[in-house]
PDB file of all heavy atoms in Angstrom:
ATOM      1  N   ASP A 128      96.417  98.281 103.797  1.00 97.00           N
ATOM      2  CA  ASP A 128      96.010  98.826 105.154  1.00 97.00           C
ATOM      3  C   ASP A 128      96.826 100.020 105.479  1.00 97.00           C
ATOM      4  O   ASP A 128      96.377 101.033 105.891  1.00 97.00           O
ATOM      5  CB  ASP A 128      96.112  97.672 106.171  1.00 97.00           C
ATOM      6  CG  ASP A 128      94.796  96.833 106.229  1.00 97.00           C
ATOM      7  OD1 ASP A 128      93.795  97.273 106.576  1.00 97.00           O
ATOM      8  OD2 ASP A 128      94.921  95.720 105.782  1.00 97.00           O
ATOM      9  N   ALA A 129      98.168  99.844 105.383  1.00 98.00           N
ATOM     10  CA  ALA A 129      99.097 100.910 105.736  1.00 98.00           C
ATOM     11  C   ALA A 129      98.890 102.147 104.836  1.00 98.00           C
ATOM     12  O   ALA A 129      98.840 103.288 105.270  1.00 98.00           O
ATOM     13  CB  ALA A 129     100.541 100.448 105.665  1.00 98.00           C
ATOM     14  N   LEU A 130      98.628 101.826 103.555  1.00 98.00           N
ATOM     15  CA  LEU A 130      98.357 102.984 102.637  1.00 98.00           C
ATOM     16  C   LEU A 130      97.038 103.657 102.954  1.00 98.00           C
ATOM     17  O   LEU A 130      97.059 104.929 103.036  1.00 98.00           O
ATOM     18  CB  LEU A 130      98.336 102.466 101.197  1.00 98.00           C
ATOM     19  CG  LEU A 130      97.885 103.462 100.176  1.00 98.00           C
ATOM     20  CD1 LEU A 130      98.955 104.531  99.999  1.00 98.00           C
ATOM     21  CD2 LEU A 130      97.623 102.826  98.866  1.00 98.00           C
ATOM     22  N   ALA A 131      95.996 102.934 103.270  1.00 98.00           N
ATOM     23  CA  ALA A 131      94.730 103.603 103.559  1.00 98.00           C
ATOM     24  C   ALA A 131      94.847 104.374 104.839  1.00 98.00           C
ATOM     25  O   ALA A 131      94.259 105.566 104.905  1.00 98.00           O
ATOM     26  CB  ALA A 131      93.696 102.527 103.708  1.00 98.00           C
ATOM     27  N   ARG A 132      95.506 103.929 105.882  1.00 98.00           N
ATOM     28  CA  ARG A 132      95.682 104.735 107.042  1.00 98.00           C
ATOM     29  C   ARG A 132      96.451 106.019 106.855  1.00 98.00           C
ATOM     30  O   ARG A 132      96.094 107.016 107.321  1.00 98.00           O
ATOM     31  CB  ARG A 132      96.341 103.831 108.150  1.00 98.00           C
ATOM     32  CG  ARG A 132      95.595 102.661 108.703  1.00 98.00           C
ATOM     33  CD  ARG A 132      96.211 102.150 109.885  1.00 98.00           C
ATOM     34  NE  ARG A 132      97.628 101.655 109.709  1.00 98.00           N
ATOM     35  CZ  ARG A 132      97.871 100.370 109.382  1.00 98.00           C
ATOM     36  NH1 ARG A 132      96.865  99.513 109.157  1.00 98.00           N
ATOM     37  NH2 ARG A 132      99.105 100.027 109.123  1.00 98.00           N
ATOM     38  N   ALA A 133      97.507 105.901 106.039  1.00 98.00           N
ATOM     39  CA  ALA A 133      98.257 107.109 105.664  1.00 98.00           C
ATOM     40  C   ALA A 133      97.395 108.120 104.899  1.00 98.00           C
ATOM     41  O   ALA A 133      97.483 109.359 105.156  1.00 98.00           O
ATOM     42  CB  ALA A 133      99.519 106.652 104.822  1.00 98.00           C
ATOM     43  N   VAL A 134      96.630 107.629 104.054  1.00 98.00           N
ATOM     44  CA  VAL A 134      95.762 108.556 103.175  1.00 98.00           C
ATOM     45  C   VAL A 134      94.819 109.237 104.089  1.00 98.00           C
ATOM     46  O   VAL A 134      94.521 110.427 104.006  1.00 98.00           O
ATOM     47  CB  VAL A 134      95.056 107.785 102.041  1.00 98.00           C
ATOM     48  CG1 VAL A 134      93.928 108.580 101.454  1.00 98.00           C
ATOM     49  CG2 VAL A 134      96.087 107.373 100.978  1.00 98.00           C
ATOM     50  N   ALA A 135      94.103 108.446 104.977  1.00 98.00           N
ATOM     51  CA  ALA A 135      93.075 109.000 105.875  1.00 98.00           C
ATOM     52  C   ALA A 135      93.713 110.062 106.770  1.00 98.00           C
ATOM     53  O   ALA A 135      93.170 111.109 106.991  1.00 98.00           O
ATOM     54  CB  ALA A 135      92.502 107.975 106.708  1.00 98.00           C
ATOM     55  N   ALA A 136      94.940 109.821 107.272  1.00 97.00           N
ATOM     56  CA  ALA A 136      95.607 110.781 108.139  1.00 97.00           C
ATOM     57  C   ALA A 136      95.983 112.063 107.384  1.00 97.00           C
ATOM     58  O   ALA A 136      95.986 113.183 108.004  1.00 97.00           O
ATOM     59  CB  ALA A 136      96.884 110.162 108.698  1.00 97.00           C
ATOM     60  N   ALA A 137      96.260 111.937 106.074  1.00 98.00           N
ATOM     61  CA  ALA A 137      96.671 113.108 105.312  1.00 98.00           C
ATOM     62  C   ALA A 137      95.492 113.964 104.952  1.00 98.00           C
ATOM     63  O   ALA A 137      95.640 115.196 104.597  1.00 98.00           O
ATOM     64  CB  ALA A 137      97.427 112.703 104.106  1.00 98.00           C
ATOM     65  N   LEU A 138      94.256 113.356 104.909  1.00 98.00           N
ATOM     66  CA  LEU A 138      93.095 114.133 104.450  1.00 98.00           C
ATOM     67  C   LEU A 138      92.523 115.003 105.489  1.00 98.00           C
ATOM     68  O   LEU A 138      92.484 114.625 106.713  1.00 98.00           O
ATOM     69  CB  LEU A 138      91.995 113.141 103.946  1.00 98.00           C
ATOM     70  CG  LEU A 138      92.202 112.500 102.613  1.00 98.00           C
ATOM     71  CD1 LEU A 138      91.173 111.389 102.345  1.00 98.00           C
ATOM     72  CD2 LEU A 138      92.112 113.558 101.455  1.00 98.00           C
ATOM     73  N   ALA A 139      91.948 116.121 105.113  1.00 98.00           N
ATOM     74  CA  ALA A 139      91.153 116.983 106.049  1.00 98.00           C
ATOM     75  C   ALA A 139      89.773 116.264 106.249  1.00 98.00           C
ATOM     76  O   ALA A 139      89.391 115.482 105.462  1.00 98.00           O
ATOM     77  CB  ALA A 139      90.916 118.375 105.360  1.00 98.00           C
ATOM     78  N   PRO A 140      89.144 116.546 107.386  1.00 97.00           N
ATOM     79  CA  PRO A 140      87.761 115.962 107.601  1.00 97.00           C
ATOM     80  C   PRO A 140      86.900 116.295 106.355  1.00 97.00           C
ATOM     81  O   PRO A 140      86.802 117.420 105.914  1.00 97.00           O
ATOM     82  CB  PRO A 140      87.290 116.698 108.819  1.00 97.00           C
ATOM     83  CG  PRO A 140      88.508 117.000 109.610  1.00 97.00           C
ATOM     84  CD  PRO A 140      89.601 117.353 108.541  1.00 97.00           C
ATOM     85  N   GLY A 141      86.220 115.266 105.856  1.00 98.00           N
ATOM     86  CA  GLY A 141      85.456 115.404 104.630  1.00 98.00           C
ATOM     87  C   GLY A 141      86.229 115.345 103.252  1.00 98.00           C
ATOM     88  O   GLY A 141      85.673 115.388 102.257  1.00 98.00           O
ATOM     89  N   GLY A 142      87.612 115.195 103.445  1.00 98.00           N
ATOM     90  CA  GLY A 142      88.403 115.050 102.245  1.00 98.00           C
ATOM     91  C   GLY A 142      88.185 113.752 101.546  1.00 98.00           C
ATOM     92  O   GLY A 142      87.635 112.760 102.019  1.00 98.00           O
ATOM     93  N   ARG A 143      88.539 113.769 100.259  1.00 98.00           N
ATOM     94  CA  ARG A 143      88.291 112.677  99.362  1.00 98.00           C
ATOM     95  C   ARG A 143      89.550 111.925  98.797  1.00 98.00           C
ATOM     96  O   ARG A 143      90.493 112.582  98.556  1.00 98.00           O
ATOM     97  CB  ARG A 143      87.442 113.074  98.158  1.00 98.00           C
ATOM     98  CG  ARG A 143      85.952 113.292  98.436  1.00 98.00           C
ATOM     99  CD  ARG A 143      85.748 114.627  99.088  1.00 98.00           C
ATOM    100  NE  ARG A 143      86.302 115.732  98.276  1.00 98.00           N
ATOM    101  CZ  ARG A 143      86.388 116.926  98.675  1.00 98.00           C
ATOM    102  NH1 ARG A 143      86.051 117.330  99.973  1.00 98.00           N
ATOM    103  NH2 ARG A 143      86.853 117.934  97.899  1.00 98.00           N
ATOM    104  N   PHE A 144      89.440 110.643  98.639  1.00 98.00           N
ATOM    105  CA  PHE A 144      90.501 109.820  98.064  1.00 98.00           C
ATOM    106  C   PHE A 144      89.937 109.326  96.872  1.00 98.00           C
ATOM    107  O   PHE A 144      89.036 108.536  96.749  1.00 98.00           O
ATOM    108  CB  PHE A 144      90.861 108.665  99.090  1.00 98.00           C
ATOM    109  CG  PHE A 144      91.902 107.725  98.576  1.00 98.00           C
ATOM    110  CD1 PHE A 144      92.956 108.113  97.772  1.00 98.00           C
ATOM    111  CD2 PHE A 144      91.793 106.364  98.945  1.00 98.00           C
ATOM    112  CE1 PHE A 144      93.921 107.195  97.349  1.00 98.00           C
ATOM    113  CE2 PHE A 144      92.738 105.433  98.513  1.00 98.00           C
ATOM    114  CZ  PHE A 144      93.830 105.905  97.667  1.00 98.00           C
ATOM    115  N   ALA A 145      90.633 109.772  95.729  1.00 98.00           N
ATOM    116  CA  ALA A 145      90.155 109.350  94.328  1.00 98.00           C
ATOM    117  C   ALA A 145      91.267 108.447  93.745  1.00 98.00           C
ATOM    118  O   ALA A 145      92.438 108.795  93.686  1.00 98.00           O
ATOM    119  CB  ALA A 145      90.048 110.615  93.475  1.00 98.00           C
ATOM    120  N   PHE A 146      90.807 107.273  93.364  1.00 98.00           N
ATOM    121  CA  PHE A 146      91.793 106.330  92.950  1.00 98.00           C
ATOM    122  C   PHE A 146      91.140 105.333  91.992  1.00 98.00           C
ATOM    123  O   PHE A 146      89.928 105.259  91.721  1.00 98.00           O
ATOM    124  CB  PHE A 146      92.355 105.544  94.129  1.00 98.00           C
ATOM    125  CG  PHE A 146      91.354 104.782  94.898  1.00 98.00           C
ATOM    126  CD1 PHE A 146      91.195 103.372  94.689  1.00 98.00           C
ATOM    127  CD2 PHE A 146      90.468 105.376  95.773  1.00 98.00           C
ATOM    128  CE1 PHE A 146      90.188 102.639  95.406  1.00 98.00           C
ATOM    129  CE2 PHE A 146      89.546 104.719  96.573  1.00 98.00           C
ATOM    130  CZ  PHE A 146      89.434 103.318  96.337  1.00 98.00           C
ATOM    131  N   THR A 147      92.032 104.542  91.263  1.00 98.00           N
ATOM    132  CA  THR A 147      91.635 103.409  90.407  1.00 98.00           C
ATOM    133  C   THR A 147      92.036 102.149  91.051  1.00 98.00           C
ATOM    134  O   THR A 147      93.040 102.085  91.708  1.00 98.00           O
ATOM    135  CB  THR A 147      92.209 103.576  89.000  1.00 98.00           C
ATOM    136  OG1 THR A 147      93.560 103.676  89.081  1.00 98.00           O
ATOM    137  CG2 THR A 147      91.585 104.735  88.264  1.00 98.00           C
TER     138      THR A 147
END
Side-chain angles (χ1 to χ4, degrees):
D128 278 287
L130 175 66
R132 290 193 300 269
V134 168
L138 283 171
R143 283 80 57 194
F144 178 32
F146 63 99
T147 54

